[in-house]
Amino acid sequence: MNLKTALESLWARSEAMSADRPQQAPAETKASRTGPLLAIQGQAQPVWSPRDYAALAREGYAKNPIVYRAVRMVAEAASSVPLTLFDGEHELDTHPLLALLSRPNRLEAGGDFLESLYGYLLVAGNAYLEQVAVAGEPRELHALRPDRVKVVPGP
């Protein structure tokens, strides 16, 4: 049976089913106003996007405005939460870590840095940071793109 014959048969059955139904349902009864459902599926195989961050970010994030906005809203909200540092039960107002997180590098402010970090975490499932140290002191933090990082386990 070809597709045209199958569609004609389904259409005839749907017309027969709608003729058997009363034209107006009582107000108390829930009924579908659209009638019978017709679903058509071809013989095509699914096409999966590649399993790499760039392709997933492009297809699922950049090309989908709903996902893009949802990720942006979560990342913006998470980055706006004030950070508090404790030493035991004592809250620290000034500390080198707080200063570093408020200005992680010369190109980004703390909120922008955390927003990009949370965005990577939401889109890729992983987020990576690089610490730049000068004379053993951490001076800069950089959020790294997850597709450009490879974890190599060591001893």
Side-chain angles (χ1 to χ4, degrees), residues 42-123:
Q43 299 296 324
Q45 296 294 320
V47 178
W48 302 104
S49 59
R51 298 275 313 180
D52 64 309
Y53 172 78
L56 291 174
R58 186 174 44 256
E59 294 297 323
Y61 174 68
K63 289 186 178 180
N64 188 334
I66 296 169
V67 173
Y68 178 82
R69 182 66 182 140
V71 168
R72 284 291 308 260
M73 287 178 73
V74 171
E76 287 171 358
S79 67
S80 68
V81 173
L83 299 175
T84 309
L85 184 63
F86 285 90
D87 183 13
E89 293 184 11
H90 179 64
E91 181 178 346
L92 301 175
D93 294 330
T94 58
H95 191 273
L97 179 60
L98 291 173
L100 183 62
L101 288 173
S102 69
R103 188 69 176 178
N105 58 57
R106 292 183 302 176
L107 302 176
E108 292 179 302
D112 297 334
F113 170 74
L114 291 175
E115 188 177 325
S116 64
L117 183 69
Y118 294 135
Y120 289 145
L121 183 61
L122 290 168
V123 173

Side-chain angles (χ1 to χ4, degrees), residues 3-18 34 36-38:
L3 182 61
K4 181 179 178 187
T5 309
L7 287 174
E8 289 172 353
S9 173
L10 284 172
W11 186 257
R13 278 191 270 157
S14 70
E15 286 182 343
M17 286 176 18
S18 63
T34 60
L37 175 68
L38 177 64

